[in-house]
Amino acid sequence: MKLKKILNDQRVVLTLLTIGLFIFFGLRNSAFFNVDFVIYPLLRDGATLTVIGLAQLCVLSIGHLNLAVGRMAAVSALVAGASYQYWGLTLVQGAILGVLAGALLGAITGWIIVKSQVNAFIVTLAMDFALLGLVTFIYVTFTGATAAFTTKPAGMDYWRSKSLKDFCVAGICGPKSIPMMLLPAIICLILVSFMFSRTRLGRELLSTGSNLRAAKLSGIPVENRVMTAHIFSGTLAGIGGLMLAYANGSFTAAIGSQVMLPSFLGPVLGGTLLAGGAVAVLGTFIGTMMTLVIRQGLSVQGIGLETLNIALGLVLLLALSVGQIQKMFTSIKLRGKK
Amino acid sequence: MKKSLLAAVAAVALLLSGCSSSGDSAGSADGFGAIKVALVPGGAHPYFQPWKDGGAAAVSEFGIGGTAFNETGEWDQTKHNAAIDAMAAQGYNAFGVFGVSPTDINTTFKGLKDKGFAVGSLASCPGGYDIVKEPQKNSADFCLSTDTGKAAYLAATAVIKEMGGKGNLVHLTGNAVDANTIRRMDGVKQAIAETGGKVKLLTTITDIDSDLQSATKAVTDLLAAKGKQINGIVTTAYNPAVAATDGVSSTKLPIKVIAIDDDQKILDAIKSGVISGTVVQNPWGQGYVGSWVLAALGSKKCTMNTPGLYVDSGSFLVTKDNVDTYNDTRQATSKDILKAFQTEYMTCK
């Protein structure tokens, strides 16, 4: 009975599926167990996409979408990159400025949604277009032929290339497979998880997403909560944008241009409802890792581009259906007992 | 429930901490046979397809261990890095790479070099500095690429000549925030400036190289709105070139076109006189020469005299006169570039 209960938890099923896929790909080709070229980069990319997934999760919690999540990441990277290049700020100072820019964009987006009463889908789509133009204009105008901010503050390469192996306490060092980049993602996971599970603010966000009218009648300042969710989303998108820039090596207009769909994939695979009211914070990490394991697993098998995307789509469809299949079996069994 | 979840997470952690590197074989090979060259463009694009044949020719001619072509980068630097990592995990020990982001790719090159691999930047050089003046800033061993500014200048000069040295010119190109595009735009502007005001740049349309559909729409809109004002079109990206060829062919407007690359549609249009010509690049030579240089570096047979050196892979104007023979010229040029590497740019044992 206990085992059945455990297996009904989507996060457990996803974790087992991810581990199963990891072992499957490794058995098919032992190169998949390579730390330097598979596990380390997988976790580093997974860390970045998890933070961006959390940015999406924050607005999903109130039943909204943030289609500008990638572009908010791009603006944060732009602000940080400009601060390093023109004002000589340190890594941390520039990062704080970049994250604040993301938070500001989130606040503006939330404010427009609240004041205009226009659907978040439309507002964030419009925001995405506007920011795309702004980011391109700034890079072309201020950086000329380079089209990027290339100044690297001290410590930037550390986050890209170092692992817990370089982090030693009393002569004991961590594993080489865990990138330093995973640490900010873990901190974000803990903070977001704490907020949704342990604070009144988190519960109010979920209530707003679950039933706006009921939340309003219960005295929850829903308009305020909409703003809050979008500020959190912009802030996390900003952190994700900085992680992307640090991982790749420079600050370009392309940062965040490919993260919009993955930002939904992680949370939704993990169990977050698109309609709002329920979030899966740890599930976001597991869902993100599963998609990356499938992609890199197929890539290491030497599968070509078309086959890779077909296989990726099929496996994801299967994974997304796991919950539905479980429910189907449960209802069949219950009917049988009746 | 929570305990079981923690147990599952702990199992992953245990698996991760228990994993070990299978190690790389770079540097251990004593001949070309031990070198496996990975040719990794930034994503799928017709331009890179000749890399496969160029690499295959180098394998059969020089006894290289093998070449493989991986186009799963999908024009995203993160996915591109993952594609390169996948090749390294599979045992490839020399890399010919087209960087998605010119300013990011140096970081990728440095990572590969730190692991002892031979690395060549093919079809594009790292951005953020002048590679001709500061090759030492290139983290790859060399860069073998079209001089995009020179190719654009060649194309613009040719179309201005076809226009009779006067009139309105349109420039169709790719991603506006790509350093290569900006060099192309500068090349076209330089050719126009040399006319002393007789030729005017009517407009430059960017960001239409992602797919043929976008390029076709842009060209159709352009010809509908300003077709009668345009005397010449110069294209410095693949999809706009095909779209401009189709557009001018279907509207029958008296517009002179110099395209880029050698899609069959473009070559047929040159033969039938619909367009004046095209500027072809040398992706075959990049695959062929690049594979040999990477094998020579990987096997420690040769070293670069100037690490990070930039070498122009060549660009050629193709018109009705040489449309049937340009490929021979291009292959001969590739052999010349290879010879220059063997005798001038590298020191070999």
Side-chain angles (χ1 to χ4, degrees):
Chain A
M1 186 61 87
K2 200 179 174 188
L3 184 70
K4 271 186 192 170
K5 205 177 168 189
I6 291 167
L7 289 177
N8 270 335
D9 187 332
Q10 190 169 344
R11 291 169 304 177
V12 174
V13 174
L14 271 181
T15 306
L16 292 175
L17 203 58
T18 308
I19 294 171
L21 283 166
F22 183 81
I23 294 168
F24 169 76
F25 285 126
L27 291 176
R28 292 261 306 171
N29 184 346
S30 62
F32 194 66
F33 289 140
N34 187 303
V35 171
D36 291 341
F37 300 117
V38 178
I39 298 171
Y40 179 92
L42 258 182
L43 286 171
R44 189 183 59 200
D45 296 346
T48 307
L49 286 178
T50 296
V51 173
I52 290 170
L54 291 177
Q56 196 63 258
L57 175 139
C58 285
V59 287
L60 286 175
S61 72
I62 56 162
H64 283 194
L65 307 172
N66 184 359
L67 300 184
V69 69
R71 226 61 75 177
M72 288 180 179
V75 171
S76 291
L78 184 153
V79 170
S83 75
Y84 299 139
Q85 188 140 327
Y86 294 125
W87 310 317
L89 295 193
T90 64
L91 184 83
V92 176
Q93 289 168 337
I96 290 169
L97 212 58
V99 173
L100 285 177
L104 180 66
L105 284 175
I108 293 169
T109 308
W111 184 81
I112 294 171
I113 291 167
V114 167
K115 294 296 169 193
S116 67
Q117 294 295 309
V118 174
N119 191 296
F121 181 93
I122 306 291
V123 173
T124 56
L125 185 65
M127 186 61 97
D128 186 62
F129 279 117
L131 294 179
L132 170 65
L134 180 75
V135 167
T136 305
F137 173 77
I138 290 175
Y139 276 112
V140 169
T141 307
F142 292 99
T143 64
T146 311
F149 294 119
T150 53
T151 300
K152 288 185 184 180
M156 184 165 145
D157 281 337
Y158 178 86
W159 287 98
R160 173 193 157 78
S161 58
K162 298 295 179 187
S163 68
L164 285 187
K165 192 188 171 199
D166 305 289
F167 188 77
C168 304
V169 178
I172 301 167
C173 306
K176 193 182 171 191
S177 55
I178 309 291
M180 292 304 288
M181 201 76 96
L182 198 59
L183 298 185
I186 290 172
I187 293 169
C188 290
L189 279 167
I190 291 170
L191 290 178
V192 175
S193 177
F194 179 79
M195 181 189 71
F196 279 112
S197 61
R198 295 275 187 274
T199 67
R200 180 176 169 167
L201 175 66
R203 285 192 295 276
E204 287 183 355
L205 286 171
L206 292 173
S207 300
T208 305
S210 186
N211 189 328
L212 188 73
R213 199 173 144 78
K216 230 177 204 174
L217 291 171
S218 316
I220 295 171
V222 291
E223 291 188 343
N224 212 325
R225 293 297 160 257
V226 168
M227 285 277 290
T228 311
H230 281 276
I231 291 170
F232 284 151
S233 184
T235 306
L236 287 161
I239 296 170
L242 293 175
M243 290 167 76
L244 275 171
Y246 294 167
N248 287 332
S250 73
F251 302 82
T252 70
I255 284 173
S257 59
Q258 307 265 352
V259 300
M260 203 258 276
L261 286 176
S263 77
F264 286 102
L265 205 51
V268 173
L269 263 174
T272 300
L273 294 181
L274 279 170
V279 294
V281 178
L282 185 59
T284 301
F285 174 68
I286 302 166
T288 301
M289 285 314 300
M290 194 179 83
T291 54
L292 290 176
V293 164
I294 296 168
R295 188 184 166 81
Q296 197 64 350
L298 293 169
S299 192
V300 170
Q301 309 303 319
I303 288 173
L305 182 64
E306 294 82 6
T307 321
L308 188 145
N309 282 330
I310 291 169
L312 185 63
L314 288 175
V315 178
L316 284 177
L317 199 61
L318 193 69
L320 279 166
S321 310
V322 165
Q324 209 56 40
I325 293 166
Q326 277 176 331
K327 276 182 198 163
M328 198 174 73
F329 277 118
T330 313
S331 88
I332 289 169
K333 275 181 188 172
L334 283 173
R335 258 184 262 156
K337 277 180 186 173
K338 279 177 190 173
Chain B
M1 182 81 75
K2 279 183 182 167
K3 275 182 188 169
S4 58
L5 194 63
L6 283 173
V9 174
V12 178
L14 193 67
L15 192 62
L16 294 179
S17 59
C19 291
S20 63
S21 169
S22 65
D24 61 69
S25 58
S28 63
D30 54 6
F32 281 16
I35 302 300
K36 288 171 76 184
V37 179
L39 298 170
V40 194
H45 194 286
Y47 174 84
F48 299 106
Q49 298 308 312
W51 277 16
K52 293 181 204 168
D53 291 340
V59 166
S60 64
E61 198 172 325
F62 308 119
I64 298 168
T67 59
F69 182 76
N70 185 327
E71 54 183 348
T72 60
E74 296 190 47
W75 301 109
D76 173 39
Q77 193 58 59
T78 304
K79 286 182 188 165
H80 189 220
N81 287 340
I84 292 169
D85 287 334
M87 300 304 278
Q90 289 171 72
Y92 286 86
N93 48 13
F95 292 83
V97 176
F98 175 93
V100 174
S101 164
T103 51
D104 288 331
I105 199 64
N106 236 357
T107 310
T108 307
F109 290 157
K110 187 175 179 304
L112 290 170
K113 286 293 295 171
D114 287 347
K115 295 199 163 60
F117 297 132
V119 184
S121 184
L122 301 182
S124 170
C125 299
Y129 60 92
D130 186 337
I131 192 160
V132 177
K133 291 178 187 162
E134 301 175 291
Q136 73 279 6
K137 287 191 177 175
N138 179 7
S139 294
D141 292 300
F142 66 97
C143 176
L144 179 60
S145 161
T146 310
D147 181 335
T148 49
K150 189 173 147 190
Y153 173 79
L154 182 67
T157 309
V159 77
I160 288 167
K161 192 178 166 194
E162 290 290 326
M163 288 159 60
K166 59 182 181 185
N168 293 322
L169 181 66
V170 170
H171 180 199
L172 308 178
T173 189
N175 184 0
V177 286
D178 179 78
N180 279 331
T181 305
I182 294 166
R183 286 189 199 111
R184 289 181 180 115
M185 286 156 78
D186 289 343
V188 171
K189 281 176 191 162
Q190 188 193 338
I192 291 171
E194 286 174 7
T195 66
K198 288 180 185 167
V199 173
K200 190 182 157 201
L201 183 62
L202 201 62
T203 181
T204 300
I205 302 177
T206 62
D207 300 295
I208 52 170
D209 192 34
S210 54
D211 58 82
L212 187 55
Q213 197 183 359
S214 323
T216 302
K217 187 181 178 308
V219 169
T220 308
D221 291 349
L222 174 77
L223 295 180
K226 297 179 179 172
K228 286 180 183 169
Q229 299 171 48
I230 301 168
N231 304 102
I233 295 176
V234 60
T235 65
T236 55
Y238 179 84
N239 285 311
V242 176
T245 304
D246 280 343
V248 171
S249 171
S250 60
T251 56
K252 304 208 182 316
L253 285 163
I255 297 171
K256 303 294 180 188
V257 177
I258 292 286
I260 194 164
D261 296 334
D262 46 359
D263 184 90
Q264 194 54 46
K265 204 178 270 182
I266 292 171
L267 296 178
D268 290 344
I270 293 171
K271 284 177 190 169
S272 61
V274 172
I275 65 169
S276 309
T278 186
V279 170
V280 296
Q281 304 176 79
N282 191 8
W284 184 89
Q286 289 161 2
Y288 173 76
V289 178
S291 295
W292 183 87
V293 176
L294 287 166
L297 291 168
S299 63
K300 313 287 182 202
K301 177 183 161 67
C302 304
T303 52
M304 293 297 300
N305 294 336
T306 308
L309 180 74
Y310 165 66
V311 177
D312 183 5
S313 56
S315 42
F316 314 85
L317 179 65
V318 176
T319 61
K320 215 169 187 175
D321 299 334
N322 63 347
V323 68
D324 294 321
T325 57
Y326 77 92
N327 206 32
D328 299 336
T329 313
R330 189 161 60 172
Q331 295 213 356
T333 303
S334 301
K335 303 260 179 189
D336 290 343
I337 296 170
L338 179 63
K339 202 169 181 183
F341 266 102
Q342 291 167 334
T343 58
E344 198 182 328
Y345 308 143
M346 302 174 94
T347 302
C348 300
K349 288 175 193 166

